[in-house]
Amino acid sequence: MSQTVQIPVSNMSCAVCAQRVEKALGQVSGVEQAAVNFATEKAQVTFDPSAVDMATLVDAVRSAGYDVPAVTATFPVTGMNCAACSSRVERTVQGLPGVVRAAVNLATERVTVTYLPDIVTPGGIARAVEAAGYRMLVGEDGAAPAEPGAAAEEERRRTVSRIRLKFIASLAVGAILMLMMLIPDSWLGMRYQWYIMFVLATPIQVWAGAQFYRGAWAALRHRTTDMNTLISVGTSVAYLYSAAVTFFPSVFENAAGAGFKAAVYYDSAVIIIGLILLGRWLEARAKGQTSAAMKRLVGLRAKTARVVRPAPAALPAVSGAAAAVPVASGAQPSGAPASGAEGAPDSACALASRPLAAPDGPTIEIDIPVDDVFVGDIVVVRPGEKIPVDGMVLEGRSTVDESMLTGESIPVEKGPGDEVIGATLNRTGSFRFQATKVGRDTALAQIVRLVEEAQGSKAPIQRLADYIASIFVPLVFGVAIITFLVWYFFGPQPVVTLALLAFVAVVIIACPCAMGLATPTAIVVGTGKGAENGILIRSGEALERAYKLSAIVLDKTGTLTRGKPEVTDIITADGSPAAEAAADELLRVAASAERGSEHPLGEAIVEEAKTRGLALSDAVDFEAIPGRGVQATIAGKPVLLGNRRFMDERGVVLGALEPASERVAQEGKTPMFVVSGGALAGIIGVADVLKPGSVEAVRKLEALGLDVYMITGDNRLTAEAIARQAGIKNVLAEVLPERKAQEVKQLQAAGKVVAMVGDGINDAPALAQADIGMAIGTGTDVAMETSDITLISGDLTRIATAIRLSRSTMRVIKQNLGWAFGYNIALIPIAAGILYPAFGILLDPAYAAVAMALSSVSVLSNSLRLRRFKVA
């Protein structure tokens, strides 16, 4: 059946653009008709949903060079118990018109949805999920709900406590029932024992097992099956058969013939429920540990902020940083006039809600909830306090511990003009800063959002598990029924008893929980561990691709190097390194001449002179000669400062400086010649030097078996000099920015799986072309959006850490999947009774329940080992 949707399209500038989009959509297989309206900026598409999905249509528009404004959000989903549940939720959401992509994470119980807000809303998605038998939580504004607070956490604890109470009660009753079976018939008649066992087992079956029945009924209403179906059928068969034998034993005795000895299995039904609930309880606790990293990230956020506000008219005038006046939300500053007083604000809340960049007149400092801080507010931070939001320092100096976000243990010096990140810890001094990003725009909020999306994504390796889970439960029922029939018609006496035990054992042991948890739990722990160490992994797919990397391309400027030229050498006219006094004088003259220049090399010379505290002279008759250098008059002497070509054109003979200039150039530095009063005074070497840790980073990458390349637009001589310093053997030099992506493509054509490491802005085409794009930076918006992996700090050694983490995570995923599949392949035949003919062994359903619970717990425990991952 055909489906018609209207897809919003942005960035169209004319009717030709509309025709291009229309053509791109029309060429997609499964699209019956496409019409684009340039005026409304919408494409009406009629298509066959069985042949093409929304993701393909959106990709077609984007491949034509235009964009589809889609929203990605993560929502909690309750009621899921196994891989079959998560698959059903995912299929339900993915099948909605307007949903581009949907991924459900069973471990975190969340669904990450990319949708078109013009077509479908979160409320509509939630209603579809509810119709499927589950519940998706949506905020009042229709967006994803905020992080759960104390009340939600308390509700979670109550749920876990209820499960604990139920499994303790079930196992206690099960133990009593097992003991009762040891009572001799002469003490208490068998029929009376059965009646007592029925009275004890029934409340457990109804009360403790109710959640399984509710889940099974919800699945049945949608003509599907899941883990609840298996448990409900297995325990119900054992319980109902036992109840029938209890009240109508003669029916079974007459049907089975002479020699039949009736038996009941109340103990098996009750113990199975108790053991499965025990497994659920252990799973719930382990799931909480898998998301511990996310909870720590969210917990970093400051609760309040001290902001500067205008003093109310009735308060005494206090200039500058007035005495702090704490204000709770909804309360008034101490000493403020009552609400409604003439000339007073209605409330402190109203006072606190006015964004203010630079208050004029008397001010006060008040404490307000961090959510009430506005962009432009002036925020005060004292020693030992958390920085509440992102901003720029206006006055004051301090050191800030950014390790909780960047993984860097050394505090960073902050002063006027420096950026500060919300949730980092102020160490020593006090300062004021202006808020630039608040709420969901802060670096921490973006990191949390990216980690959530990564944890909600799926690695390609999970597709096999998802496919098997989708057909697993019906397949198990088929196996269980065949098992029952084989035992009933071909098994030894008592056939009914043995057939029943084998049926229940197969149904109980074949739970798909372990398969559903194998991949997402490892991804949750792995991405969380990365975030703790300043490594943001964008998706499970990126995590898996990083595991396969064979080559890594490092951009030179800003990645391997600092990205800012620095003075490295000062050489006198005789070709020898200058003594301190001579060096300072040569640098002073050169910096005085360069004061009017905007060239990066000139700025580096001026910056070095300022760092040394040198007093610069005024330049007269300054002139910049493009591509050559500058000339000026300093203290009455003509001064020339420039490159070798400038010197040759002015007839300056290098003499003893010739070998020194060649040595400086061979080291990848730029020699700047200084002529003062007509005489050659010396050379100042300027270079973009390697970052600390670059050499170690390259060594670690090669130790991982990767081919390391450096790519740069510099000339080959300079590039090879820098590469030698960094320990890199493969150099791609004289590569223009637009050609970097082509170089990456050539490496891929040679069979290599390539990672590109750059700053995430000018290297965007190469980052997009690479199998994995890694951005080096401070977690800026552009870096996060263009990369698969973002390294928040500039520490290049974290590249190797990210790859090691990927390999460790994939190793754990493979172990989990091997255990989950191997467990079912090995134990289902045993539960069916394959060992009975040779060894007389038939698996008791209670032991099957133990094995089922342990399979899920083992997968979770194996994933939790990633929490011990060490940053080398």
Side-chain angles (χ1 to χ4, degrees):
M1 184 175 178
S2 298
Q3 182 177 309
T4 301
V5 296
Q6 290 203 351
I7 303 174
V9 181
S10 60
N11 300 336
M12 292 190 299
S13 57
C14 63
V16 175
C17 298
Q19 291 176 2
R20 191 175 302 152
V21 174
E22 192 171 295
K23 182 179 179 182
L25 287 169
Q27 291 175 343
V28 176
S29 177
V31 171
E32 299 171 4
Q33 186 177 3
V36 179
N37 189 317
F38 172 63
T40 61
E41 295 188 316
K42 288 186 178 180
Q44 182 169 299
V45 186
T46 302
F47 64 99
D48 180 2
S50 63
V52 63
D53 56 16
M54 283 295 301
T56 305
L57 298 179
V58 170
D59 289 343
V61 174
R62 289 174 175 170
S63 65
Y66 305 92
D67 195 20
V68 177
V71 175
T72 299
T74 301
F75 303 90
V77 177
T78 61
M80 296 187 299
N81 298 305
C82 64
C85 298
S86 60
S87 296
R88 189 182 314 138
V89 173
E90 189 169 295
R91 287 196 305 270
T92 298
V93 176
Q94 185 72 62
L96 294 175
V99 172
V100 180
R101 290 178 183 87
V104 176
N105 189 312
L106 178 61
T108 59
E109 297 181 314
R110 289 173 178 266
V111 56
T112 300
V113 189
T114 300
Y115 63 95
L116 306 180
D118 289 355
I119 301 176
V120 66
T121 64
I125 299 172
R127 286 190 292 274
V129 171
E130 186 173 356
Y134 307 91
R135 186 182 175 209
M136 189 181 92
L137 304 181
V138 180
E140 293 181 1
D141 58 352
E147 284 302 313
E153 182 63 21
E154 181 61 29
E155 176 60 28
R156 189 192 70 82
R157 282 196 292 266
R158 283 198 296 267
T159 301
V160 173
S161 296
R162 282 195 297 269
I163 295 176
R164 181 173 178 270
L165 175 62
K166 287 181 178 182
F167 89 71
I168 290 175
S170 300
L171 293 180
V173 171
I176 294 172
L177 294 175
M178 291 183 70
L179 290 174
M180 288 186 65
M181 297 185 71
L182 301 177
I183 298 175
D185 292 348
S186 59
W187 291 13
L188 184 65
M190 183 64 71
R191 295 286 297 275
Y192 290 109
Q193 285 188 38
W194 291 351
Y195 290 144
I196 295 172
M197 294 171 79
F198 173 79
V199 171
L200 291 173
T202 300
I204 298 299
Q205 193 75 29
V206 174
W207 168 63
Q211 63 191 75
F212 303 124
Y213 289 113
R214 284 195 296 268
W217 174 245
L220 183 62
R221 281 173 34 228
H222 293 89
R223 299 178 183 179
T224 185
T225 55
D226 60 14
M227 187 195 80
N228 292 304
T229 311
L230 293 175
I231 297 169
S232 299
V233 170
T235 58
S236 296
V237 166
Y239 172 78
L240 293 174
Y241 173 80
S242 300
V245 169
T246 299
F247 294 101
F248 310 103
S250 59
V251 174
F252 292 89
E253 291 171 355
N254 294 334
F260 174 77
K261 185 177 180 180
V264 294
Y265 300 99
Y266 291 117
D267 58 329
S268 293
V270 170
I271 289 175
I272 287 170
I273 289 175
L275 289 172
I276 292 172
L277 288 173
L278 171 61
R280 288 269 180 97
W281 181 71
L282 292 173
E283 280 181 28
R285 294 187 62 189
K287 284 179 182 178
Q289 293 174 349
T290 61
S291 58
M294 275 294 296
K295 292 177 181 176
R296 281 194 291 272
L297 278 175
V298 174
L300 293 174
R301 188 170 179 257
K303 302 298 186 292
T304 62
R306 181 168 296 246
V307 299
V308 177
R309 300 293 196 201
L315 286 176
V318 184
S319 61
V325 181
V327 176
S329 181
Q332 288 183 291
S334 176
S339 176
E342 185 177 355
D346 291 340
S347 68
C349 186
L351 174 69
S353 66
R354 290 200 299 267
L356 195 62
D360 294 326
T363 61
I364 59 171
E365 296 174 8
I366 60 173
D367 290 337
I368 62 173
V370 70
D371 292 331
D372 291 342
V373 178
F374 286 82
V375 172
D377 274 339
I378 308 301
V379 184
V380 181
V381 183
R382 296 175 298 186
E385 293 182 341
K386 284 185 179 179
I387 297 171
V389 295
D390 297 1
M392 181 174 291
V393 177
L394 297 177
E395 59 182 68
R397 291 189 174 275
S398 183
T399 57
V400 176
D401 181 359
E402 297 181 343
S403 60
M404 62 282 294
L405 293 181
T406 66
E408 296 291 341
S409 58
I410 301 175
V412 182
E413 296 281 344
K414 298 292 182 179
D418 290 334
E419 292 183 352
V420 289
I421 305 173
T424 55
L425 183 64
N426 182 35
R427 284 292 190 190
T428 54
S430 298
F431 60 89
R432 292 184 174 201
F433 72 94
Q434 187 173 46
T436 56
K437 292 182 180 179
V438 300
R440 295 192 176 191
D441 295 328
T442 63
L444 176 64
Q446 291 183 60
I447 290 170
V448 169
R449 190 158 57 248
L450 283 173
V451 174
E452 277 184 341
E453 290 176 6
Q455 293 182 344
S457 66
K458 289 191 176 184
I461 197 172
Q462 192 174 345
R463 292 171 187 155
L464 175 62
D466 287 347
Y467 173 73
I468 293 178
S470 67
I471 62 174
F472 189 75
V473 176
L475 186 64
V476 167
F477 271 121
V479 172
I481 292 170
I482 292 172
T483 299
F484 180 87
L485 294 175
V486 169
W487 276 97
Y488 187 80
F489 289 109
F490 304 105
Q493 290 291 339
V495 290
V496 175
T497 299
L498 295 177
L500 180 69
L501 288 176
F503 176 86
V504 174
V506 170
V507 169
I508 294 300
I509 206 166
C511 174
C513 278
M515 283 187 284
L517 293 171
T519 301
T521 51
I523 289 178
V524 168
V525 180
T527 53
K529 193 66 182 178
E532 282 185 352
N533 292 282
I535 302 168
L536 297 183
I537 301 169
R538 194 170 184 82
S539 66
E541 187 175 357
L543 196 68
E544 183 172 340
R545 285 204 307 268
Y547 158 78
K548 301 175 182 177
L549 288 175
S550 59
I552 189 158
V553 179
L554 301 171
D555 181 50
K556 180 184 81 71
T557 305
T559 301
L560 279 169
T561 65
R562 294 182 183 273
K564 184 179 181 181
E566 298 178 6
V567 173
T568 58
D569 301 83
I570 300 179
I571 302 171
T572 56
D574 61 0
S576 60
E580 184 175 354
D584 285 352
E585 178 57 24
L586 184 62
L587 184 63
R588 187 191 68 80
V589 171
S592 298
E594 285 283 10
R595 286 178 75 178
S597 172
E598 295 181 354
H599 194 280
L601 299 181
E603 290 177 352
I605 293 173
V606 174
E607 186 64 30
E608 179 67 17
K610 289 181 179 178
T611 301
R612 298 192 182 196
L614 303 180
L616 303 185
S617 303
D618 293 330
V620 181
D621 300 327
F622 171 84
E623 181 182 359
I625 295 89
R628 306 292 191 274
V630 299
Q631 63 182 25
T633 301
I634 309 296
K637 293 183 179 180
V639 174
L640 300 178
L641 175 63
N643 55 27
R644 174 67 180 268
R645 182 184 300 179
F646 192 26
M647 297 298 106
D648 291 343
E649 290 175 354
R650 295 303 175 95
V652 177
V653 178
L654 301 185
L657 283 179
E658 183 82 43
S661 68
E662 291 180 358
R663 175 181 60 79
V664 170
Q666 288 174 356
E667 292 174 354
K669 305 169 186 176
T670 301
M672 302 285 288
F673 299 90
V674 182
V675 177
S676 178
L680 188 59
I683 295 176
I684 297 179
V686 181
D688 183 8
V689 299
L690 289 173
K691 287 180 179 178
S694 292
V695 176
E696 182 185 2
V698 171
R699 179 183 59 79
K700 287 184 175 181
L701 290 170
E702 289 184 339
L704 291 174
L706 298 171
D707 296 330
V708 182
Y709 293 78
M710 185 187 80
I711 191 167
T712 178
D714 289 349
N715 65 72
R716 181 157 294 277
L717 182 65
T718 301
E720 289 180 346
I722 293 293
R724 279 195 302 273
Q725 295 174 27
I728 298 175
K729 304 178 184 64
N730 305 304
V731 181
L732 304 173
E734 301 176 6
V735 180
L736 297 175
E738 60 270 20
R739 292 288 300 171
K740 288 183 179 180
Q742 187 62 34
E743 292 289 343
V744 171
K745 196 171 184 179
Q746 289 178 4
L747 290 175
Q748 291 170 324
K752 297 182 183 296
V753 181
V754 183
M756 171 70 192
V757 185
D759 61 14
I761 301 173
N762 57 3
D763 297 315
L767 287 169
Q769 176 62 45
D771 297 285
I772 288 289
M774 294 189 184
I776 301 289
T778 56
T780 59
D781 295 342
V782 176
M784 289 183 182
E785 290 300 325
T786 56
S787 62
D788 298 299
I789 298 175
T790 299
L791 309 181
I792 300 176
S793 71
D795 183 3
L796 295 185
T797 59
R798 297 301 166 92
I799 302 172
T801 301
I803 295 171
R804 284 180 48 244
L805 179 61
S806 166
R807 293 180 178 181
S808 296
T809 305
M810 289 305 301
R811 185 163 55 248
V812 167
I813 288 174
K814 289 181 178 181
Q815 291 168 352
N816 287 348
L817 289 173
W819 169 259
F821 290 136
Y823 155 84
N824 282 290
I825 291 171
L827 293 187
I828 288 179
I830 294 175
I834 195 172
L835 299 179
Y836 189 85
F839 304 101
I841 297 174
L842 185 61
L843 187 66
D844 188 288
Y847 294 141
V850 172
M852 188 210 73
L854 289 178
S855 69
S856 297
V857 173
S858 65
V859 165
L860 285 161
S861 300
N862 192 43
S863 296
L864 288 174
R865 291 192 304 112
L866 285 169
R867 296 172 65 187
R868 299 198 296 269
F869 178 85
K870 300 294 183 184
V871 178

